[in-house]
């Protein structure tokens, strides 16, 4: 992988665990330090951290090669930046400070420091809301595609390119490593593939493809352990996973979608066990799950096959239909899992958001109007606020705030040009 900077070693500690204590944060002016002796906590004999209120953060929106950053507390434009290429895909860094601008076809990943972050520890924490800037740090590798974040780090998978004899690979990133202008670690395969991977502490479960295969899709899974700035493959899992596409993880399981079902890999300590869940009669002939979603429940995930949703029970190893549609609804425009409540959100063809509880076997908890006038072929996407239980619906030129606790939709922004990609930035609850 080519970078503008030499790779440095980053402590393995960033791979451990799944987040730290949650913060509540006080209204802040730019770079206001929260005083441990101020407010209602003054005189607290235990010297506890005063309650602080997290800012709403910022939202980045793209059109052509322009990135517009808006303050979500007041809707004001903070700054405008320009990426090298047009039509980039935006992604939020694991802890929210940075935004990745991925130009897949041009083999370039750029990074925006959005200026919103929490600095320091305990009573000396400072909330920054600084001016954004485009970093000099860049990644130059072939066809960055799947981006898989968790609370501490993220895996970015590069598909490679058959025509250019460029091999696939993956890189591990964190907010700290981006700030240090380095990767935590990386790995390259001996062939191209449209693959993915899931990070589990010191391990990565990633896809494998036979270099002689006619398909770009992988067919097996490998276990990789981090060693300094690179990975060693420690194991190849059986059973195989033909035409693998789609993955997700819960507390103890990692699931991958195959043409013949699901491969489930369960972890207990440093021990990993793989098993297969066969496609059921719930899936019509020639249908296969190609995307997986997970919420709070460790054993109950969802699969999507040709616009149909399926319930995958990882405890009983069964796949069944998930009939989410209210009466009279036949299709959806977009879907996603919210960051805080971990609810399933589905925008239906009538412009309503349908809400489902991932902790209660995906039971419906509400339906509310979000788009007043649905227009055919309008781009729709859901972008999560990771500080509050709010999701933003980007619909054409509009940004609409979805308050998931109140189940209300409020217009936030209306741009002059259609929005091609979007991402939230700020201080996450993790």
């Amino acid at each position: 992988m080519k970078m503008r900077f030499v790779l440095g070693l980053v402590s393995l500690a960033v791979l451990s665990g799944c987040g730290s204590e949650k913060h509540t944060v006080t209204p802040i002016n730019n770079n206001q330090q929260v005083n441990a002796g101020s407010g209602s906590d003054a005189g607290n004999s235990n010297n506890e951290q005063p309650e602080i209120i997290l800012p709403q953060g910022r939202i980045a929106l793209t059109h052509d090669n322009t990135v517009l950053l808006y303050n979500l507390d007041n809707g004001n434009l903070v700054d405008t930046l320009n990426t090298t290429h047009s039509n980039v895909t935006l992604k939020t860094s694991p802890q929210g400070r940075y935004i990745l601008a991925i130009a897949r076809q041009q083999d370039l990943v750029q990074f925006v420091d959005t200026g919103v972050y929490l600095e320091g520890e305990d009573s000396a924490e400072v909330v920054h809301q600084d001016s954004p800037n485009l970093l000099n740090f860049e990644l130059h590798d072939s066809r960055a595609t799947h981006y898989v974040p968790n609370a501490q780090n993220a895996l970015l998978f590069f598909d490679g390119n058959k025509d250019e004899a460029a091999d696939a690979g993956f890189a591990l990133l964190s907010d700290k490593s981006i700030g240090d202008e380095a990767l935590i670690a990386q790995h390259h395969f001996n062939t191209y593939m449209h693959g993915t991977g899931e990070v589990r502490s010191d391990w990565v479960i990633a896809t494998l493809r036979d270099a002689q295969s006619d398909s770009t899709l992988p067919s097996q899974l490998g276990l990789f352990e981090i060693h300094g700035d690179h990975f060693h493959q420690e194991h190849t899992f059986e059973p195989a996973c033909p035409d693998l596409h789609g993955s997700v993880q819960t507390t103890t399981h990692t699931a991958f979608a195959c043409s013949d079902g699901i491969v489930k890999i369960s972890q207990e300590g440093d021990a990993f066990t793989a098993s297969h869940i066969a496609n059921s009669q719930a899936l019509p002939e020639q249908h296969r799950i190609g995307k997986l979603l997970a919420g709070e429940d460790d054993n109950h995930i969802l699969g999507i096959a040709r616009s149909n949703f399926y319930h995958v029970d990882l405890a009983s190893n069964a796949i069944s239909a998930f009939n989410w549609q209210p009466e009279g609804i036949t299709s959806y425009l977009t879907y996603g899992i919210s960051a805080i409540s971990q609810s399933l959100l589905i925008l239906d063809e009538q412009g309503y958001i349908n809400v489902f509880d991932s902790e209660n076997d995906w039971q419906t908890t509400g339906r509310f109007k979000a788009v007043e006038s649905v227009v055919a072929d309008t781009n729709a996407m859901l972008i999560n606020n990771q500080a509050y239980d709010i999701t933003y619906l980007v619909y054409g030129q509009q940004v609409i705030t979805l308050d998931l606790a109140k189940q209300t939709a409020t217009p936030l922004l209306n741009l002059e040009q259609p929005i091609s990609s979007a991402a939230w930035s700020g201080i996450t609850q993790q």
Side-chain angles (χ1 to χ4, degrees):
M1 180 178 301
K2 299 176 184 176
M3 294 189 300
R4 287 277 182 87
F5 298 91
V6 178
L7 294 180
L9 275 174
V10 180
S11 170
L12 185 60
V14 297
L15 294 176
S16 302
C18 242
S20 55
E21 275 187 293
K22 293 185 178 180
H23 296 282
T24 350
V25 188
T26 62
I28 326 146
N29 296 321
N30 284 348
N31 302 350
Q32 176 181 332
Q33 180 166 323
V34 179
N35 190 328
S38 65
S40 61
D41 289 291
N44 187 330
S45 60
N46 294 324
N47 293 320
E48 292 179 356
Q49 166 76 10
E51 187 174 57
I52 38 180
I53 299 173
L54 291 170
Q56 292 278 349
R58 294 170 176 173
I59 191 166
L61 309 170
T62 62
H63 176 73
D64 290 333
N65 72 325
T66 301
V67 179
L68 304 166
L69 288 112
Y70 287 88
N71 185 328
L72 290 167
D73 285 304
N74 54 29
N76 291 339
L77 179 64
V78 177
D79 207 345
T80 301
L81 304 173
N82 294 107
T83 54
T84 302
H85 301 289
S86 300
N87 301 317
V88 297
T89 299
L90 302 182
K91 299 292 183 181
T92 304
S93 67
Q95 294 178 309
R97 175 172 176 173
Y98 302 96
I99 287 176
L100 286 71
I102 302 172
R104 183 181 187 273
Q105 296 302 317
Q106 291 79 23
D107 299 336
L108 175 64
V109 180
Q110 295 177 280
F111 297 87
V112 176
D113 183 347
T114 67
V116 184
Y117 62 99
L118 190 64
E119 183 180 42
E121 297 180 358
D122 301 326
S123 61
E125 286 185 321
V126 180
V127 174
H128 288 260
Q129 296 187 85
D130 301 334
S131 297
N133 69 92
L134 190 66
L135 300 182
N136 290 326
F137 178 51
E138 297 176 347
L139 302 180
H140 298 261
D141 208 337
S142 183
R143 301 300 191 264
T145 306
H146 285 299
Y147 176 74
V148 188
N150 59 34
Q152 294 296 324
N153 45 58
L155 182 143
L156 181 59
F157 199 97
F158 299 89
D159 283 356
N161 188 322
K162 177 183 178 181
D163 296 335
E164 297 176 3
D167 292 335
F170 60 84
L172 200 62
L173 299 161
S174 69
D175 279 41
K176 183 181 185 306
S177 77
I178 295 169
D180 291 341
E181 300 175 337
L183 300 176
I184 296 172
Q186 62 176 321
H187 178 80
H188 278 95
F189 299 93
N190 63 354
T191 186
Y192 59 91
M193 76 177 101
H194 182 54
T196 189
E198 296 281 345
V199 182
R200 296 194 68 92
S201 186
D202 300 351
W203 308 87
V204 168
I205 302 172
T207 53
L208 302 172
R209 174 186 170 273
D210 184 342
Q212 305 306 313
S213 172
D214 292 331
S215 173
T216 60
L217 295 177
S219 60
Q220 283 192 296
L221 291 156
L223 181 66
F224 297 81
E225 185 177 19
I226 192 167
H227 288 263
D229 61 355
H230 61 281
F231 291 87
H232 291 174
Q233 184 180 345
E234 303 293 341
H235 182 67
T236 300
F237 290 104
E238 292 290 347
C241 184
D243 299 319
L244 189 157
H245 191 277
S247 68
V248 78
Q249 64 173 294
T250 66
T251 305
T252 58
H253 304 299
T254 309
F256 294 85
C258 325
S259 58
D260 61 356
I262 303 292
V263 166
K264 175 185 71 176
I265 300 176
S266 302
Q267 180 180 6
E268 186 173 345
D270 288 342
F272 295 83
T273 305
S275 58
H276 183 260
I277 303 172
N279 283 336
S280 72
Q281 293 182 349
L283 276 84
E285 190 175 354
Q286 303 302 317
H287 283 213
R288 53 80 48 91
I289 291 173
K291 185 173 180 61
L292 295 168
L293 301 172
E296 290 286 357
D297 195 302
D298 188 43
N299 291 313
H300 296 275
I301 64 174
L302 293 174
I304 300 163
R306 296 193 185 183
S307 300
N308 295 312
F309 283 71
Y310 295 89
H311 178 216
V312 182
D313 189 329
L314 299 177
S316 62
N317 295 331
I319 300 174
S320 58
F322 176 63
N323 299 311
W324 66 272
Q325 300 96 325
E327 185 177 354
I329 297 298
T330 59
S331 63
Y332 63 82
L333 305 179
T334 190
Y335 59 84
I337 301 288
S338 66
I340 306 301
S341 61
Q342 295 283 284
S343 300
L344 170 65
L345 309 176
I346 302 178
L347 176 66
D348 67 37
E349 66 200 61
Q350 292 182 354
Y352 283 81
I353 294 287
N354 300 263
V355 186
F356 303 87
D357 184 0
S358 67
E359 290 188 276
N360 189 25
D361 201 22
W362 306 103
Q363 294 298 309
T364 183
T365 60
R367 182 172 184 258
F368 61 96
K369 189 75 169 178
V371 179
E372 291 301 324
S373 179
V374 175
V375 179
D377 301 322
T378 299
N379 189 33
M381 65 190 96
L382 293 170
I383 305 298
N384 288 325
N385 188 312
Q386 296 179 38
Y388 295 93
D389 198 17
I390 292 172
T391 293
Y392 304 99
L393 170 60
V394 178
Y395 187 75
Q397 299 167 213
Q398 305 174 65
V399 179
I400 301 162
T401 301
L402 308 177
D403 186 321
L404 301 181
K406 298 177 181 178
Q407 296 200 355
T408 58
T410 306
L412 177 66
L413 299 168
N414 196 345
L415 275 60
E416 295 181 356
Q417 301 289 342
I419 300 163
S420 59
S421 188
W424 175 87
S425 72
I427 302 165
T428 67
Q429 269 202 21
Q430 301 297 325

